[in-house]
Amino acid sequence: VDMNTSISLFVFSQCLWIILKLKIIIYSETVGLKPAPVIIDGIPINNLTRKVLDSQSFLSQSMNIILEDAVKKSTDVKEKVCEWRSPEELKELLDLELRDEGESESEILQRCRDTIRYSVKTTHPRFFNQLFAGMEPYSLVASVIVEALKPSLYTYEVAPVFTLVENAVLRKMMELIGWEEGGDGIFCAGGSMSNMYALNLARYHHCPDVKEHGLSAAPRLVIFTSEECHYSIAKSAALLGIGTKNVYVVASDERGKMIPSALEELIETAKKEGTIPFFVNATAGTTVLGAFDPLEEIADICEKHNIWLHVDACWGGAALMSDRHKHLLKGIHRANSVAWNPHKMLMVCLQCSAFLVRDKTSLLQDCHSSRASYLFQQDKFYDVSYDTGDKSVQCSRKPDSFKFWLMWKALGKGELKQRVDRAFAMAKYFAEQIKQREGFQLLMEPECTNVCFWYIPPSLRNLQGHPKFWKKLHTVAPAIKERMMKVGSMMVGYQTHKDRVNFFRMVLVSPQVSTEDADFVLDEMHNLGKDL
Amino acid sequence: VDMNTSISLFVFSQCLWIILKLKIIIYSETVGLKPAPVIIDGIPINNLTRKVLDSQSFLSQSMNIILEDAVKKSTDVKEKVCEWRSPEELKELLDLELRDEGESESEILQRCRDTIRYSVKTTHPRFFNQLFAGMEPYSLVASVIVEALKPSLYTYEVAPVFTLVENAVLRKMMELIGWEEGGDGIFCAGGSMSNMYALNLARYHHCPDVKEHGLSAAPRLVIFTSEECHYSIAKSAALLGIGTKNVYVVASDERGKMIPSALEELIETAKKEGTIPFFVNATAGTTVLGAFDPLEEIADICEKHNIWLHVDACWGGAALMSDRHKHLLKGIHRANSVAWNPHKMLMVCLQCSAFLVRDKTSLLQDCHSSRASYLFQQDKFYDVSYDTGDKSVQCSRKPDSFKFWLMWKALGKGELKQRVDRAFAMAKYFAEQIKQREGFQLLMEPECTNVCFWYIPPSLRNLQGHPKFWKKLHTVAPAIKERMMKVGSMMVGYQTHKDRVNFFRMVLVSPQVSTEDADFVLDEMHNLGKDL
């Protein structure tokens, strides 16, 4: 080999080397440096499965499906409220079985579409079945932020923003209640839990020993609530070991309002029986009739007898936003505690329920605390009074207040007030239409935004007063409900009430409901029920 | 005016009329027909505020921000885990006040960005502070579907898909527990609530009269749990009126496992005291040490004494997915009830907690039911056994099972198993690193995926055995924690335990954590603490 050939070979090999090196660098930069594999128990643990970046396209595709199908289409009045399938049919359609093998992303996207398709569209303008309705874009965005960030509200260090937001929202709600000196509170996983907190707090206030020693050595504690109250009061009494028989049920008047004199009589009776009355639940906006208990008179009685007054304003609390309607809750500032669900008439995404307490002596913390050493260390470097988790019975807890906060920031109290006023006006409009139509009958003038009424099919219209009338009418609402579900045109709930046979309860909440939607409900009921 | 002029004028006016009519039609089609305004109490109610369509652009803009900032950036290892601000600073930055006026959409978008920015990134690969971590794209998508659809799980008619999904997921979890004949269950708002349900169900099973009559006439009921158990057991005992003093605390061994002989002794003692032992809580995966109580031996004792056995497997239940690790829960099929949170090691978005019960005689329903007439009508047209809401203490309840279901569908049990095996392997790797490094000391070999250890700064390394050693070491972890929060490089929790001074608890969960991330934690602790 001559010199030239040697030089050529050398240059060539150097070039090859450089190219190879470059390739390695490029490769390394593309896939990340590959260190020697670390294998523990036969499992290679440095094969990073950083699925987050891999799933960017899946995430954006599914977000598009959600925006299209679960937001836009679900709220489109021209679409169905539900596509009814029986449990058996739906099981077939959905293939619910969980298997060893996973599915492809396109299959999962189809499952998202199917889930949305066969779900009830509770945000549809013709969904009137529960005490919540409508699509609230700001609180929806807030809840997606929460889902993505996965915060849990126990300590400031893990949820700084949401801790402060919760405090700000609670403070504002207390201001609306009229607690000028503030108080305390916490957001709970639904109104039932807020009511349960009230009962526990009142018990702790009345006999703090129960926390440690339990009830077995305690006297018989009794509570008072109207027959119209939410079922969570009885559930809480059972759960807390008070017992449903120690829930003394106060009579209400024909409009569904607690009768104060009946309350006082019952307290006297309970005292004569040797029991300890310690808790009165008043309801501001009952579940079925939408009645508001007379808070001032109830507060007088509670003060006189030294009994904790809780106001379950889960449904009617929204009226506090409105100068026109807040008189319905006159006296609420005298309550010791209040439950109020902004996820109802104020339309915050589910769930958003505040439990508020007037006490400022850390009763809530003292009642629920257990001072877990791994969460609530006292040697932290910041003010641990911001670690609010020990006020709760839950451990991990979602920052539901943020959904209310962001919505309020966007709309201002001004628009929230309008939302409430419009819902009340819509209920009045709907009640007027019922009065004007043949075959419809109001149970009573609505006080809140639930309107209760019967539809009387032509075949029964001449039977009024006849002994068979009520018996036959009782079957009408379930029959119409079945038909509306199967047609999917709307959803309105029905129930009995005391000696009243099945009737419909129309709930008006959302500003996305038009007068045409309200008219449609009555037209459609007649269409669906006229042959009954 | 002559004939021609007349004709011209006529044609002209006709043309004008046609044009005007067309304009009206076009206008009507554009803006929707405008009927005469309906005004109720001064409020025009047919001015539809269908904000949903108006807000399409806001929704897609905010979704982009969320995907970019709260998903992609939050999980980027090159970004900070948190941008620490004190409560006072953060209040200044966020402008939390809720006002009468709303804000513009661009201001709200900025609020979304700020919320994300100042929140802790619990999905970041260097977040090891709680028993949950990581970003799970499938369960994230599922939770966004839930937020958009706003379902509530009480009746089949309102949540058909989610009702069936919950049943399917519960069934599968029972299969993994080993309840071949099935059972019953419900998803709860967190593990504390699942444990609370267990206590209430056991009490109802033992003395069903308590539901109605309360505890004041009942004998003294006592429960048993180890000193290592989750604090929700004590909280539940307080809430249910049993009393924290009636929680008999069983000694555990040096690894944190309940000592069965100590349990049996304590049961005997309780009986001698005239109390009624009715509930034993065993923990599968304790919060701090990650210990698994010996379930077979505890089950033997419970059977012998006819006591309800509950297993709190909120944390360790994930090991049931793994052939390699499920032996840790050997005997769990003998439990009467189990709590298990797929939102922990299985990485489902918060919250996802199952309460499972072996009973098949509708104990859960009987214990919690209150038969509200407006929800649980018995004259519905479908099989009302699908209306599961009365099994719950909550009223509105989120379909958390769906997040688990969609994730499982996407990954299959195969990948979930790998996820668990990898987490255990990572914990072993991390413990090995600790043993190899100077200045680090394990509390004990990890049994689960929490690894507890001390960092001993150089200044203390020669003090071991000196009386001041532990006192000084006690201040190290809080000091390092403060520094790591302020730097924002990672988050790891610390606590004391019995007579042990402050130590770190590293929790390994997410497959998005690399060996480099694990190594980084130790490097960074040394960097932050070497001058202490």
Side-chain angles (χ1 to χ4, degrees), chain A residues 270-314:
Chain A
K271 284 184 172 174
K272 275 181 209 139
E273 289 169 3
T275 69
I276 309 290
F278 76 104
F279 181 83
V280 169
N281 171 67
T283 312
T286 61
T287 313
V288 177
L289 303 179
F292 287 79
D293 287 345
L295 301 184
E296 291 280 20
E297 289 160 271
I298 295 171
D300 288 342
I301 296 166
C302 288
E303 274 172 23
K304 182 174 154 196
H305 293 273
N306 189 27
I307 297 178
W308 183 284
L309 172 58
H310 173 66
V311 177
D312 173 358
C314 286

Side-chain angles (χ1 to χ4, degrees), chain A residues 106-122:
Chain A
S106 66
E107 284 170 301
I108 297 299
L109 291 174
Q110 189 53 44
R111 292 200 175 277
C112 294
R113 282 189 206 95
D114 290 344
T115 298
I116 297 167
R117 175 172 172 187
Y118 296 112
S119 285
V120 167
K121 311 304 183 293
T122 69

Side-chain angles (χ1 to χ4, degrees), chain A residues 442-460:
Chain A
L442 275 182
L443 260 76
M444 63 187 66
E445 288 291 332
E447 186 168 24
C448 193
T449 71
N450 9 3
V451 185
C452 296
F453 65 98
W454 286 286
Y455 168 69
I456 304 159
S459 71
L460 295 185

